Amino acid sequence: MQLEYHQVDAFSDRPFAGNPAIVYRLDHWLDDALMQQIAGEHNLAETAFVVKQPEHWHIRWFTPTTEVPLCGHATLATAYVLFNLYAVPGEVIAFNSLSGPLRVTRVGQRLELDFPAQRIEPDNALLDEVAAALGVSVEAVFVGPELLAVVADEATVRECQPNLASVATLPGMGVIITAPGQQHDFVSRYFAPSIGIDEDPVTGAIHCSLIPYWSQRLAKLEMRAFQASARGGELHCRLVGDRVKIAGDAVLVAKATLLLGDI
């Protein structure tokens, strides 16, 4: 069996920045264990698999070690591949996923994700433990699908050198560290070693929590965000009711064929 795949750098307008994702457009689902093996072989933060259904596309995302319920950059990458390489018509692609219905819309040169907002709750009982794992002073901790650690400034975010073994023991899928930005409304980084991602370069899904938090704190509905990893990436964010809109660029960097022999 041979499977075509594409590698896209999401939330970047140039190669070797943003967050790379592998995209497979399948005619039918593969065995779950095989998809996990393929994701492990690529060893990127996310590998996306997508299958056409009558009214939408069904999308699934795998880290090198597990399937996850939501992924932003790999959804952006998948929409880029469907629009530009498989000539899917129209301006909107509808996906179904473990997190329910998702949409990606062409907005000028960018693609805009339409994801569910995720509300978070304060839990400063974890403050000392999170601060110790991150190795920085933490002002507040919030709990959602990930832990959100708020720190004083962008320099603290950029200079953070977490103890990844300690981060992996914390509740949730990972830890977001965030602060007000100097040239952006807010900045962040994301560490998720418990699901096989020491640091994710640019993470659309964590902005489902970040956008409502910063919208309330800054009293703004539209914001520019930057994920300050080594690769880095810019996200254009909007809060619209109980949905978040996350727009970014994408660029194709590779296409190839996976050879699976007689599998």
Side-chain angles (χ1 to χ4, degrees):
M1 180 167 59
Q2 299 184 8
L3 298 173
E4 183 179 58
Y5 68 87
H6 299 84
Q7 183 171 330
V8 174
D9 286 344
F11 296 113
S12 175
D13 60 1
R14 65 189 190 280
F16 315 129
N19 201 352
I22 298 292
V23 178
Y24 284 87
R25 183 208 178 282
L26 303 175
D27 294 326
H28 55 80
W29 291 114
L30 305 175
D31 180 78
D32 286 7
L34 178 57
M35 288 191 288
Q36 186 62 73
Q37 287 179 307
I38 292 170
E41 182 72 12
H42 289 300
N43 200 33
L44 292 179
E46 300 289 347
T47 297
F49 300 89
V50 63
V51 173
K52 184 72 175 73
Q53 304 293 332
E55 301 298 328
H56 57 260
W57 295 83
H58 190 176
I59 189 168
R60 297 173 67 182
W61 312 276
F62 290 78
T63 78
T65 62
T66 190
E67 184 173 8
V68 294
L70 185 65
C71 178
H73 85 277
T75 304
L76 191 81
T78 300
Y80 177 91
V81 168
L82 294 178
F83 276 134
N84 294 287
L85 302 173
Y86 289 100
V88 171
E91 300 300 312
V92 180
I93 293 178
F95 292 102
N96 194 28
S97 73
L98 288 176
S99 292
L102 311 171
R103 293 162 63 90
V104 182
T105 303
R106 296 193 220 228
V107 180
Q109 295 183 340
R110 298 190 182 104
L111 297 174
E112 185 178 69
L113 306 172
D114 180 342
F115 275 17
Q118 294 173 339
R119 303 296 172 174
I120 52 178
E121 298 294 333
D123 189 351
N124 285 336
L126 291 168
L127 195 148
D128 290 343
E129 189 177 357
V130 171
L134 293 176
V136 298
S137 178
V138 174
E139 295 181 343
V141 171
F142 296 83
V143 176
E146 295 84 15
L147 295 180
L148 176 64
V150 181
V151 299
D153 51 41
E154 181 171 328
T156 303
V157 172
R158 290 183 177 274
E159 294 166 8
C160 177
Q161 297 184 18
N163 182 322
L164 292 173
S166 296
V167 170
T169 67
L170 295 171
M173 291 191 296
V175 177
I176 309 161
I177 181 172
T178 189
Q182 295 177 337
Q183 297 181 344
H184 296 80
D185 291 292
F186 64 90
V187 298
S188 66
R189 291 171 68 191
Y190 179 51
F191 310 103
S194 66
I195 59 171
I197 306 169
D198 286 349
E199 180 173 3
D200 200 26
V202 191
T203 318
I206 65 170
H207 287 76
C208 295
S209 301
L210 285 165
I211 293 170
Y213 171 79
W214 284 107
S215 176
Q216 182 178 31
R217 178 166 165 175
L218 300 175
K220 298 177 72 172
L221 295 178
E222 296 191 15
M223 295 162 286
R224 286 195 313 133
F226 188 77
Q227 194 155 332
S229 65
R231 291 173 65 99
E234 187 174 63
L235 307 93
H236 299 260
C237 307
R238 295 191 292 141
L239 181 64
V240 183
D242 62 354
R243 306 291 292 183
V244 295
K245 307 295 182 80
I246 309 165
D249 296 291
V251 58
L252 178 71
V253 295
K255 58 181 179 178
T257 301
L258 183 70
L259 306 177
L260 296 177
D262 296 329
I263 291 177

